[in-house]
Amino acid sequence: MSPSAVALPEILRGEGLPVFEAITPATVTAHIPGLIAELEADLSQLETRLGHRLSAIASDASQLLRWQELMDPLQRLGERLRWSWGVVSHLNGVCNSPELREAHAGQQAAVVRFGNRAGQSRLIYRALEQLQQQHMAASPGAPGHLDGAQQRILAAELRDMQLRGVGLQGAEQEAFNAASQELAELSTRFGNQVLDATNGWTLRLNDPAEVDGLPESLRAQLAQAARSAGDEAASAESGPWLVGLDMPRYAPFLKYSRRRDLRERVYRAHVSRASGQGEVCGEQADGEPLNNWPLIERILALRGEQARRLGYANWAEVSLAAKMADSEAAVEGLLEELRAAALPAAQQELEALRQIARRHHAPEADDLQPWDVSFWAERLRQESFELDSEALRPYFPLPRVLDGLFSLCSRLFDVTIEAADGEAPVWHPDVRYFRIREGAATATGEPIAAFYLDPYSRPGSKRGGAWMDECLVRSRRQDGTTVLPVAYLICNQSPPVAETPSLMTFEEVETLFHEFGHGLQHMLTTVERPQAAGINGVEWDAVELPSQFMENWCYDRATLLGMARHWQSGEPLPEAEFGKLQAARTFMGGTATLRQVHFALVDLKLHSQWRPGCGQSPEQLRRAIAANTTVLAPIDEDAFLCSFGHIFAGGYAAGYYSYKWAEVLSADAFSAFEEVGLENEQQIRDTGRRFRDTVLSLGGSLDPKAVFEAFRGRQPSSEALIRHSGLLAG
Ligand SMILES: [Zn+2]
């Protein structure tokens, strides 16, 4: 750190681990504008230098533009913004408050504007083209020739600038920029309205008859929610219990509540969130109902216009330009393959639910509704496998699950993971900090990375879902030393209640493994060029490979039985329960696959077919697709699109299919371990090492098809995914 950097306000430090408590809404408002002004000045200076260099090169063909003159300063500029704005965005996700949200929203336009300015700089674009021309003209090893990673970085940079409108002129470019900015604001508003609508609705239950069927852990959680809302006397036994629409409360309520009327109320509330209709859409501060429909149409219309300005027919084409999948047809081909296998399976599964409802003489047997599906599926699961996923919670206390995850990583990837709490500032007392060292089972190996883990749900201030984000990216400082990567790992699992640790459902364990897979790719990268290190430069539809790969290990005998132990008695998970977990893996597999296919197709078609005045609303288009991608038609107030944050508040527009695309890769990668035999220790370690040295290590430095082939020895096949999903039998 340079001496002058010490005096900088924390938010501008630009390197090292952030001191989160020093990054307040006031400092965001006070310092981000200055940072952006400085970056703009630096960018102008860089452009001036490049202008001189390009003219000199034009008049003297023996001169070459060097990588260090363009790509390194460009990367440093981007990194200063990423560091500062990244921390603000991170805090906005995990410590949301009205003040921070306002401060974030207040600066976002300027951040986007700077990104557009840099992304549309003609001088930088010309300089990138110069690097590319030099490379084309040079033989390997000659001056101007680029290595593989550099070529990928350069190609991605050129493509991204083209997609940011560098080729647009005058008014066309101004319109493009205005639309980009509006899109960023719309996305943020969309996400906030989902959060507000989710938090804005609760159902207070006072009568023990109303919590009939709910497991102890859920009643405790609902009572805790009631206490947080001011009912200090609330208890798991006698209530009151506060139901909400956040996943840790909503999903188990639908699964276990024997009160069909209450399931229906909660379900209707959930599917109509932020849709401006229904009893429960929530309200803005000014009393207007939260309504994401107008935002959806506006977002889609703007994206369509942006695509046409860039010379593409629609936004789906723009999205695919930067992905591993070659075309919309290729994506549809895969989705249709999965749909065809999943639809008959899903129909059989629904019939099985009707039958079990009939066996229990439930009046809804002949009129099964969406709010009955989770409930009867859970009954059927219990009867078929005698597997009660709630009853498994005591076997998955978070500390043991972490031990299991860390020793798996040791075994497969030859690393050691150790607690380092207190060595880094955190943003909440529940957040933990860990370090990764080279070499299995050693406390003295070279440190190679670190990560934060923020495991628990905090409704109201923390965004739902789970994710991995970059805190620091692996890179080489100007003095030649290495910046080690640091990851944020965020989950939303049930918090500890009183003396009981966080007891995880098996699904929460899978989620943790999933996010850790992203983290491993970020942290175990060996690429020192940050533009291609870790997840950077990895095509979106390949980026879920390591994460979904890690989920497979939750079903591996040695891994699971090694970590699942009762938190009080220390007893291992009974063998029979493991067998049931495996059997349950493909339970309702047709329904689950069909659901993902539905989301993916809706997303793709909204971005390729829908446009204003096309004669149907986005919702009508969704319902047309639902005709052969659902087995229970969406109910009237089902406004799922109004909370489809992946595509309207996140980066998955025309890219939701990526989950399935990458699942083909991850299932096939895991099948390499199955092939050598999961009990064959040495071969497992060798295969794990090869996975580390290819998929986890190479990041975006190589084409994803080549990375896959380096690991697997051939191109991916969908055979393993179809087998793992249980869709073969028919
Ligand atoms: Zn993921």
Side-chain angles (χ1 to χ4, degrees):
M1 197 185 295
S2 65
S4 64
V6 176
L8 280 177
E10 179 61 18
I11 193 170
L12 299 182
R13 189 147 54 87
E15 59 178 357
L17 297 174
V19 179
F20 299 98
E21 64 177 13
I23 296 168
T24 60
T27 63
V28 174
T29 309
H31 298 297
I32 292 292
L35 171 66
I36 291 180
E38 226 177 89
L39 293 175
E40 272 168 357
D42 290 355
L43 180 63
S44 299
Q45 273 180 23
L46 175 63
E47 287 175 319
T48 308
R49 275 202 308 278
L50 289 170
H52 292 317
R53 290 288 290 129
L54 288 174
S55 333
I57 291 165
S59 56
D60 174 2
S62 71
Q63 288 197 38
L64 288 178
L65 184 66
R66 286 174 309 123
W67 184 270
Q68 296 87 328
E69 293 176 275
L70 169 59
M71 300 308 277
D72 291 350
L74 202 55
Q75 192 275 327
R76 281 195 294 273
L77 269 178
E79 174 59 14
R80 284 172 64 196
L81 183 61
R82 190 205 66 81
W83 192 97
S84 297
W85 192 242
V87 182
V88 177
S89 302
H90 169 69
L91 291 175
N92 200 40
V94 295
C95 298
N96 199 289
S97 67
E99 297 75 26
L100 183 59
R101 192 190 288 189
E102 197 181 320
H104 180 267
Q107 301 306 318
Q108 195 173 37
V111 172
V112 171
R113 213 158 39 232
F114 174 75
N116 283 339
R117 153 112 164 73
Q120 291 177 345
S121 160
R122 293 224 166 81
L123 267 163
I124 287 176
Y125 190 69
R126 273 176 50 207
L128 291 168
E129 288 183 316
Q130 174 69 27
L131 283 184
Q132 197 178 44
Q133 284 156 13
Q134 290 173 184
H135 168 72
M136 308 284 247
S139 45
H145 189 269
L146 303 174
D147 65 33
Q150 288 176 311
Q151 290 171 43
R152 287 257 308 166
I153 291 167
L154 183 59
E157 200 74 49
L158 281 163
R159 180 197 64 214
D160 289 349
M161 289 191 78
Q162 284 151 8
L163 296 183
R164 299 191 81 139
V166 73
L168 301 177
Q169 309 291 329
E172 196 64 0
Q173 193 172 63
E174 276 168 34
F176 183 90
N177 291 349
S180 299
Q181 215 175 104
E182 191 183 342
L183 276 168
E185 289 158 12
L186 287 167
S187 287
T188 303
R189 233 177 93 203
F190 186 100
N192 286 338
Q193 298 206 144
V194 174
L195 188 64
D196 288 345
T198 302
N199 292 327
W201 185 90
T202 51
L203 178 63
R204 194 169 182 273
L205 304 177
N206 299 304
D207 180 351
E210 294 173 317
V211 293
D212 187 20
L214 303 191
E216 165 69 24
S217 67
L218 180 58
R219 274 184 283 129
Q221 202 185 333
L222 299 184
Q224 178 148 306
R227 283 197 296 279
S228 305
D231 265 314
E232 276 163 32
S235 75
E237 298 71 34
S238 51
W241 304 271
L242 201 62
V243 183
L245 299 179
D246 52 287
M247 272 300 153
R249 285 187 287 170
Y250 168 76
F253 188 84
L254 275 201
K255 217 189 237 185
Y256 295 106
S257 172
R258 294 183 179 277
R259 284 287 299 266
R260 191 178 190 224
D261 59 329
L262 296 178
R263 290 202 308 267
E264 177 175 353
R265 263 188 86 181
V266 174
Y267 180 86
R268 285 184 190 274
H270 194 258
V271 296
S272 58
R273 279 177 301 157
S275 69
Q277 54 160 11
E279 98 180 89
V280 291
C281 54
E283 275 184 5
Q284 296 175 349
D286 58 10
E288 281 291 297
L290 293 165
N291 183 1
N292 274 343
W293 284 125
L295 276 64
I296 288 172
E297 295 217 359
R298 183 72 184 146
I299 289 170
L300 291 173
L302 283 172
R303 284 178 183 157
E305 288 167 22
Q306 296 293 74
R308 287 186 285 282
R309 287 188 184 107
L310 295 172
Y312 294 91
N314 54 57
W315 191 260
E317 284 188 3
V318 174
S319 161
L320 292 177
K323 294 204 168 60
M324 183 177 172
D326 292 326
S327 64
E328 193 184 344
V331 175
E332 276 187 53
L334 172 72
L335 293 176
E336 177 52 28
E337 215 173 297
L338 296 173
R339 191 198 69 83
L343 185 65
Q347 278 159 344
Q348 285 170 17
E349 287 158 8
L350 185 64
E351 189 45 41
L353 298 187
R354 288 199 184 100
Q355 280 169 15
I356 185 177
R358 247 174 243 138
R359 283 203 299 281
H360 286 261
H361 308 291
E364 65 260 36
D366 295 314
D367 176 37
L368 223 53
Q369 295 292 333
W371 48 88
D372 301 317
V373 170
S374 287
F375 178 79
W376 288 111
E378 183 60 20
R379 297 289 87 65
L380 182 60
R381 187 205 301 266
Q382 284 178 22
E383 288 187 12
S384 311
F385 314 115
E386 294 170 45
L387 178 68
D388 173 359
S389 53
E390 282 300 308
L392 294 189
R393 277 187 191 265
Y395 291 94
F396 296 113
L398 176 64
R400 282 203 184 278
V401 171
L402 288 179
D403 283 349
L405 172 60
F406 297 168
S407 42
L408 173 69
C409 291
S410 256
R411 178 178 167 230
L412 294 180
F413 309 130
D414 195 28
V415 294
T416 300
I417 302 175
E418 64 190 20
D421 299 294
E423 294 180 29
V426 293
W427 56 90
H428 187 278
D430 289 342
V431 176
R432 305 214 37 207
Y433 188 68
F434 295 89
R435 179 176 297 107
I436 303 188
R437 291 182 187 276
E438 188 61 69
T442 164
T444 54
E446 193 76 2
I448 48 181
F451 61 93
Y452 301 89
L453 175 67
D454 184 352
Y456 312 128
S457 168
R458 291 192 294 276
S461 66
K462 182 170 165 183
R463 186 151 64 82
W467 66 92
M468 190 286 295
D469 201 358
E470 301 169 325
C471 175
L472 301 179
V473 183
R474 187 177 180 97
S475 59
R476 203 165 268 276
R477 292 188 193 89
Q478 279 175 290
D479 66 7
T481 57
T482 300
V483 176
L484 296 181
V486 178
Y488 297 122
L489 290 164
I490 315 294
C491 294
N492 260 288
Q493 65 198 52
S494 321
V497 178
E499 297 304 304
T500 311
S502 174
L503 299 178
M504 302 167 72
T505 62
F506 183 69
E507 292 73 28
E508 288 171 343
V509 174
E510 286 181 290
T511 299
L512 177 65
F513 273 58
H514 176 105
E515 297 311 330
F516 207 76
H518 286 306
L520 286 168
Q521 187 170 36
H522 173 66
M523 294 185 285
L524 298 189
T525 192
T526 52
V527 177
E528 303 241 308
R529 297 187 187 280
Q531 305 98 320
I535 59 171
N536 291 290
V538 178
E539 282 74 357
W540 268 88
D541 44 359
V543 87
E544 296 293 333
L545 195 178
S547 52
Q548 295 179 153
F549 166 82
M550 285 302 289
E551 287 182 44
N552 282 285
W553 291 97
C554 298
Y555 293 92
D556 170 51
R557 166 186 305 272
T559 308
L560 193 81
L561 294 184
M563 79 180 164
R565 280 175 187 277
H566 196 283
W567 74 281
Q568 284 164 311
S569 68
E571 266 175 67
L573 184 75
E575 179 73 29
E577 296 298 316
F578 171 63
K580 290 177 206 164
L581 272 176
Q582 278 200 317
R585 183 182 189 182
T586 53
F587 178 69
M588 299 291 284
T591 305
T593 300
L594 199 60
R595 184 179 151 85
Q596 289 299 88
V597 168
H598 175 68
F599 294 164
L601 268 179
V602 167
D603 166 41
L604 196 67
K605 297 289 178 195
L606 281 176
H607 288 100
S608 65
Q609 290 182 356
W610 190 86
R611 58 173 71 194
C614 70
Q616 60 180 350
S617 66
E619 179 60 8
Q620 284 166 330
L621 191 145
R622 181 217 168 190
R623 282 173 191 255
I625 293 169
N628 67 359
T629 55
T630 57
V631 290
L632 272 184
I635 61 169
D636 285 350
E637 57 271 65
D638 184 334
F640 158 71
L641 287 178
C642 290
S643 55
F644 199 0
H646 275 85
I647 69 168
F648 295 117
Y652 278 84
Y656 194 86
Y657 79 89
S658 301
Y659 282 109
K660 279 293 162 198
W661 189 273
E663 224 179 320
V664 168
L665 307 180
S666 58
D668 199 10
F670 187 74
S671 71
F673 291 82
E674 295 174 320
E675 278 167 20
V676 300
L678 290 169
E679 317 288 331
N680 188 337
E681 192 56 23
Q682 192 51 50
Q683 297 238 45
I684 290 293
R685 284 175 192 267
D686 293 347
T687 311
R689 184 69 218 195
R690 196 167 73 244
F691 189 81
R692 176 179 169 185
D693 291 340
T694 54
V695 176
L696 297 180
S697 154
L698 295 171
S701 71
L702 198 64
D703 183 280
K705 292 176 186 128
V707 173
F708 189 88
E709 192 155 340
F711 169 65
R712 199 65 176 93
R714 57 164 173 72
Q715 280 304 298
S717 139
S718 62
E719 180 272 328
L721 177 59
I722 287 175
R723 177 166 51 83
H724 289 167
S725 310
L727 302 179
L728 275 182

